[in-house]
Amino acid sequence: MPAEYGWGPAFTEYAAKIAVEFAGAQQEGEALWVAECGGRLIGSVMLCQSGEAGEGQVRLFLVEPDYRRCGVGSALMKVVLDGAKEMGYTRLMLWSAEPLTDAIRLYERAGFHITERVKNTEWRPDGDLVYEIKMVKECL
């Protein structure tokens, strides 16, 4: 995905750090779900504690390009929402980025709404601006 949007090593390092921290210190109320097709990993989503009481954070939501618009993202979203409800979260938040328009539409269909936009000039090697988008879903 990084190359798909012109993002460079800074984004890859950011995502890798999240994955390594999750793998090394997974806590109660956290989970990872993956989608497979023919033994191939085609999507994933993590649910982590956000640090706020009752709030979970959706992280590293990804569907491989060849499997987008096939229902994989919707299935992963349903799994993470159901899991969050079972774990007792009453609110979810996530960070996305403006170029991820299909993902943002999926999040909005699931009941998330934009609460914040933050400038980021680190992810693109050319220093061009990317807006990160914070989205929240209340009352699971």
Side-chain angles (χ1 to χ4, degrees):
M1 181 176 78
E4 181 180 2
Y5 296 101
W7 301 342
F11 177 81
T12 303
E13 290 168 13
Y14 165 77
K17 181 179 180 212
I18 291 169
V20 167
E21 287 175 359
F22 177 84
Q26 185 179 350
Q27 301 175 33
E28 188 175 330
E30 298 187 331
L32 166 69
W33 292 274
V34 298
E36 293 181 74
C37 182
R40 180 176 176 219
L41 181 64
I42 60 168
S44 63
V45 62
M46 291 174 24
L47 176 62
C48 302
Q49 295 180 15
S50 75
E52 299 290 326
E55 181 182 75
Q57 182 173 3
V58 177
R59 303 197 85 180
L60 300 184
F61 191 111
L62 171 73
V63 175
E64 289 293 327
D66 291 346
Y67 294 89
R68 293 179 189 158
R69 298 185 181 269
C70 298
V72 176
S74 295
L76 285 169
M77 180 55 66
K78 180 176 179 358
V79 168
V80 76
L81 291 175
D82 290 348
K85 190 172 187 176
E86 287 176 24
M87 291 179 201
Y89 289 110
T90 57
R91 173 183 158 122
L92 288 177
M93 61 85 66
L94 61 85
W95 283 93
S96 190
E98 277 192 352
L100 307 176
T101 55
D102 288 343
I104 291 169
R105 275 195 299 275
L106 174 71
Y107 303 144
E108 289 173 333
R109 282 194 309 269
F112 286 85
H113 63 276
I114 296 171
T115 60
E116 189 175 342
R117 290 176 72 224
V118 176
K119 294 178 182 179
N120 178 324
T121 56
E122 296 176 8
W123 289 353
R124 292 183 50 99
D126 58 12
D128 278 359
L129 183 64
V130 174
Y131 278 99
E132 292 183 70
I133 307 292
K134 181 178 181 182
M135 301 182 80
V136 173
K137 177 178 174 63
E138 306 282 350
C139 302
L140 298 181

